[in-house]
Amino acid sequence: MNETISNNAIIYAILALNSEVDLQHEYLESDEVPDDERDNEQGILDDLEQAFMEFVDIYKKRCKADKELPDLDELLNSQI
């Protein structure tokens, strides 16, 4: 298995995590979360946000090395 993560894999991870963070925010803001699960669901959101930021950091480094990659704002806004 290749130990280097491809640019495409990083992009897909960022887009997927961004969507999951949004969904988790919506879920936590809804009335659907049982009170006894709220802390657990908040922990899941925290983990998703941490993973998102770690991939963003990797992507920013890749953007410096590869000027053909779209900048982060362009990448995130293109999924609308």
Side-chain angles (χ1 to χ4, degrees):
M1 185 172 158
N2 188 350
E3 291 187 28
T4 303
I5 300 174
S6 71
N7 289 340
N8 283 343
I10 294 169
I11 289 170
Y12 292 138
I14 287 171
L15 294 176
L17 285 165
N18 189 49
S19 294
E20 288 299 315
V21 166
D22 288 344
L23 288 172
Q24 190 68 7
H25 271 291
E26 288 176 22
Y27 179 58
L28 278 170
E29 291 172 359
S30 75
D31 294 333
E32 298 176 28
V33 184
D35 289 339
D36 61 337
E37 289 293 317
R38 189 156 295 279
D39 287 343
N40 182 54
E41 293 298 332
Q42 182 62 50
I44 291 170
L45 175 60
D46 294 343
D47 291 343
L48 287 168
E49 289 175 331
Q50 179 64 36
F52 175 80
M53 292 309 301
E54 288 181 23
F55 275 100
V56 165
D57 288 343
I58 293 168
Y59 187 74
K60 286 179 178 180
K61 291 174 186 171
R62 295 281 179 99
C63 283
K64 288 179 182 177
D66 185 348
K67 300 298 182 192
E68 292 185 19
L69 289 172
D71 70 15
L72 188 60
D73 288 337
E74 181 182 342
L75 182 70
L76 294 174
N77 290 328
S78 68
Q79 70 181 110
I80 296 174

